[in-house]
């Protein structure tokens, strides 16, 4: 046993050493500087060939202001919301540090409880990393700041270095970004709004940040922002920093901020390329948005300048030839989105996101949800049938030569023999666009002419969960698929992005090999590669025979069916047209061995972002996927593949058993698959003409409706619960979801906003 003298000596030595260490730590740390923090750098983006695309960042969007230029309402807003004891405390929260250490000891990250002083230190001197080392540095520096700076100086520093979203660092930049005024002119209501952003601009900017997190939709963000804004005003009033009159005045109206603005260099398609690459960086690394927006990163992308320019040129050419928004009301608000992906690789080589940030279009149409894909979904139904078979085939795959009834206005039969009913117990009838009497036709023919009834019944026979699983395996994200797996699911109620549709069809092009789409190959800072950007590895998602048979069927769509405009490409290609009820969207997705490209076209109300009908657009009764979208696709692919060999596609081996919807399966014939006869009416002869698309054509009238027996064309009302399919009887009641609103199109597409 050591003597008490030895024990006492050890304790004194330990305490002395601890005091010395604290003293050394205190002496070695430096106090933060607002000016150093303001020296943010640009992020530099590079094309796939290594040449510079654009240098953009926040350096020009930051300016320090003195405390006398910051309204007292702004000062008290952050104090009431974040650190009520700011003017009394030492600048360090011992309990917060204790919680961080305890959490660290349990294997978690350090967390929370920071004072305004500590946050100022973190903003200006330290990284945002949640580590024990950073927490100790923060503590020492905060103590030193508390002795060197006055409270107003600390508060000034905090407000000048905080991140408010949209690339705005500091209160002056935030005031201009959100309200277009100098900070000194901010009103109490606006101050509370900006203070709410400090909790996390990703989730509190009403413009939304769904590209970074799907929970950060404009609707959800606005709700969060309004609630915290009102709470902050309440806290300011409770803390006697707002009089009764000031409080009531501030609460009168939520201060709607200005829309997003284009920053330097962010014009044309560059804005959407940067948007896509930034999203990829944040989703595949531990880099935070705040850290990224401070700049200094070099981002190497997969985008090929020639292909990006070619895609933009194709859209502009067809727009100019076919649309006249200044003179034709039905041509207003038409938008395009497109993406091009390399099969068996996943590299996104080109995209078209819209008219550009400089024209006020901040939504990336190539990577947005809410635009229904219509009949471009049918290949996934066919692939599922070939893979899983139907309840009639005991798991044996179905041949594309299987026959189903293609007539219009058919009842859909459940596996148990009963028929689907509407909520009023009337029969649900599936509609085609045309009343043409097709009789029993092969699935190959049904795909060629984009006839709905065979694929709705086939989807039910296979099982919609298997259709969903097949689409997911091909590359479609689950959360972009309709949650209601009713018969309409088979003909395109889902709303994946153009990027994901191009990628999923690339799986067919690559004989079943799927690779996740990617836009960034490397990220560097200070010469060091950041982890997380390895190229996705392709894997077999579909049996090669299944994928090749889908390709064979989709080749026939171009050669003899609704996609004949794409024959102008002059090389082997496969693809599918898609059109939706009330003509609210039109698609063409097609591919060669080298390139898979998806093009979508839609009209959108700029105020509420609801989809509008394109009936009458471009001077035709209805815009079909085989018309303008196919013309854009063909123009682009001709340029993108110029000088490339025509590689063709692998032969499609015979697959599955021939199923007859009305009878038992029969053996697969020994003959090889040949293209079916030409459609009864041809597609419009050329992209530049304003003639209507072929009839029969991709799915349209009543295709998703749960209408009454007559399923007439009077149209459902545009309110939830009373519209049914848009072209079905107004008494139909079984619609779901908010499919008319882009970005929330997970339900029955054609229900109203509360359907």
């Amino acid at each position: 046993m050591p003597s008490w003298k030895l024990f006492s000596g050890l304790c004194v030595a330990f305490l002395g050493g601890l005091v010395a260490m604290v003293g050394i730590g205190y002496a070695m740390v430096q106090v933060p500087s607002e000016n150093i923090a303001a020296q943010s750098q640009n992020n530099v983006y590079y094309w796939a060939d290594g040449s510079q695309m654009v240098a953009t960042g926040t350096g020009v969007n930051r300016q320090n202001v003195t405390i006398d230029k910051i309204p007292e309402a702004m000062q008290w807003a952050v104090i009431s919301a974040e650190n009520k004891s700011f003017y009394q405390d030492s600048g360090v929260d011992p309990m917060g540090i204790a919680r961080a250490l305890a959490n660290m000891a349990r294997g978690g990250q350090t967390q929370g409880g920071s004072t305004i002083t500590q946050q100022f230190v973190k903003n200006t001197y330290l990284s945002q990393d949640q580590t024990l080392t950073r927490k100790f540095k923060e503590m020492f520096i905060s103590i030193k700041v508390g002795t060197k700076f006055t409270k107003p100086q600390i508060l000034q520093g905090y407000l000048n270095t905080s991140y408010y979203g949209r690339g705005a660092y500091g209160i002056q930049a935030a005031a201009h970004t959100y309200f277009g005024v100098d900070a000194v002119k901010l009103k109490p209501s606006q101050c509370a709004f900006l203070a709410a952003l400090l909790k996390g601009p990703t989730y509190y900017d009403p413009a939304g940040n769904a590209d970074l997190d799907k929970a950060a939709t404009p609707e959800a963000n606005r709700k969060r922002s309004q609630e915290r804004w009102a709470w902050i005003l309440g806290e300011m009033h409770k803390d006697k920093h707002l009089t009764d009159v000031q409080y009531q005045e501030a609460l009168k109206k939520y201060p709607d901020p200005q829309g997003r603005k284009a920053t330097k260099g962010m014009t044309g398609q560059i804005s959407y390329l940067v948007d896509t690459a930034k999203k990829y960086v944040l989703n595949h690394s531990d880099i935070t948005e705040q850290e990224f927006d401070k700049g200094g990163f070099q981002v190497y992308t997969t985008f090929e300048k020639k292909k990006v320019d070619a895609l933009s040129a194709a859209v502009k050419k067809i727009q100019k030839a076919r649309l006249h928004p200044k003179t034709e009301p039905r041509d207003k608000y038409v938008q395009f989105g497109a993406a091009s992906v390399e099969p068996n690789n996943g590299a996104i080589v080109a995209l078209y996101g819209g008219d550009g940030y400089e024209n006020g279009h901040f939504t990336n149409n190539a990577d947005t949800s809410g635009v229904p894909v219509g009949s471009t979904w049918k290949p996934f139904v066919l692939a599922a049938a070939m893979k899983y078979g139907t309840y009639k085939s005991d798991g044996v795959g179905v041949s594309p030569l299987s026959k189903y009834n293609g007539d219009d206005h058919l009842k859909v039969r459940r596996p148990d023999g009963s028929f689907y009913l509407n909520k009023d117990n009337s029969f649900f009838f599936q509609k085609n666009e045309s009343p043409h009497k097709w009789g029993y036709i092969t699935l190959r023919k049904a795909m060629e002419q984009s006839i709905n009834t065979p694929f709705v019944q086939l989807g039910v026979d296979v099982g919609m969960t298997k259709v969903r699983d097949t689409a997911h395996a091909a590359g479609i994200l689950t959360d972009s698929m309709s949650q209601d797996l009713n018969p309409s699911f088979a003909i395109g109620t889902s709303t994946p992005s153009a990027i994901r549709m191009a990628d999923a069809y690339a799986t067919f092009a690559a004989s079943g090999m799927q690779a996740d789409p990617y836009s960034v190959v490397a990220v560097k800072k200070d010469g060091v590669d950041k982890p997380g950007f390895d190229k996705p590895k392709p894997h077999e998602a579909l049996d090669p025979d299944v994928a090749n048979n889908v390709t064979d069927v989709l080749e026939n769509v171009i050669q003899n069916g609704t996609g004949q405009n794409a024959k102008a490409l002059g090389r082997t290609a496969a693809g599918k047209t898609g059109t939706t009820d009330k003509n609210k969207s039109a698609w063409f997705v097609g591919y060669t061995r080298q390139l898979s490209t998806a093009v979508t076209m839609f009209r959108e109300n700029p105020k509420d972002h609801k989809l509008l009908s394109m009936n009458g657009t471009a001077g035709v009764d209805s815009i079909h996927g085989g018309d303008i979208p196919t013309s854009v696709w063909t123009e682009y692919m001709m340029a993108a593949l110029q000088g490339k060999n025509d590689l063709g596609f692998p032969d499609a081996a015979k697959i599955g058993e021939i199923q007859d919807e009305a009878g038992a399966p029969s053996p697969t014939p020994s003959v090889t698959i040949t293209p079916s006869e030409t459609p009864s009416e041809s597609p419009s002869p050329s992209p530049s003409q304003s003639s209507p698309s072929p009839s029969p054509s991709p799915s349209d009238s009543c295709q998703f409706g749960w209408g009454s027996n007559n399923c007439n064309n009077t149209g459902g009302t545009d309110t939830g619960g009373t519209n049914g399919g848009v072209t079905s009887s107004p008494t139909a009641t079984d619609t779901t979801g908010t499919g008319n609103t882009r970005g929330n199109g997970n339900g029955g597409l054609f229900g109203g906003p509360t359907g």
Side-chain angles (χ1 to χ4, degrees), residues 470-481:
T470 301
H472 179 64
I476 302 298
L477 297 176
T478 302
D479 59 6
S480 69
M481 296 192 220

Side-chain angles (χ1 to χ4, degrees), residues 610-677:
K610 289 183 181 178
L611 296 179
L612 303 170
S613 174
M614 290 190 291
N615 288 338
T617 295
V620 297
D621 291 339
S622 180
I623 293 291
H624 293 149
D627 188 7
I628 291 178
T630 303
S631 298
V632 171
W633 182 91
T634 306
E635 285 284 340
Y636 162 69
M637 293 289 278
M638 289 174 68
L641 295 172
Q642 188 174 15
K644 303 286 186 182
N645 293 329
D646 184 350
L647 301 181
F649 293 116
D651 292 335
K654 289 178 291 185
I655 191 170
E657 291 183 337
I658 295 178
Q659 300 286 314
D660 186 339
E661 184 190 10
S666 58
T668 302
S670 58
V671 296
T672 57
I673 298 172
T674 57
S676 57
E677 65 271 23

Side-chain angles (χ1 to χ4, degrees), residues 168-188:
Y169 278 88
I171 186 62
Q172 178 74 349
H176 277 280
T177 297
Y178 289 94
F179 299 113
V181 298
D182 287 331
V184 71
K185 295 182 179 179
L186 289 169
K187 299 175 181 178

Side-chain angles (χ1 to χ4, degrees), residues 304 306-307 342 349 569-572 592-595 636-648:
E304 298 180 20
K306 288 184 178 179
K307 288 185 172 67
E342 287 186 357
V349 296
L569 177 62
R571 62 173 68 221
T572 307
T592 65
R593 286 278 291 277
Q594 300 104 318
L595 211 54
Y636 162 69
M637 293 289 278
M638 289 174 68
L641 295 172
Q642 188 174 15
K644 303 286 186 182
N645 293 329
D646 184 350
L647 301 181

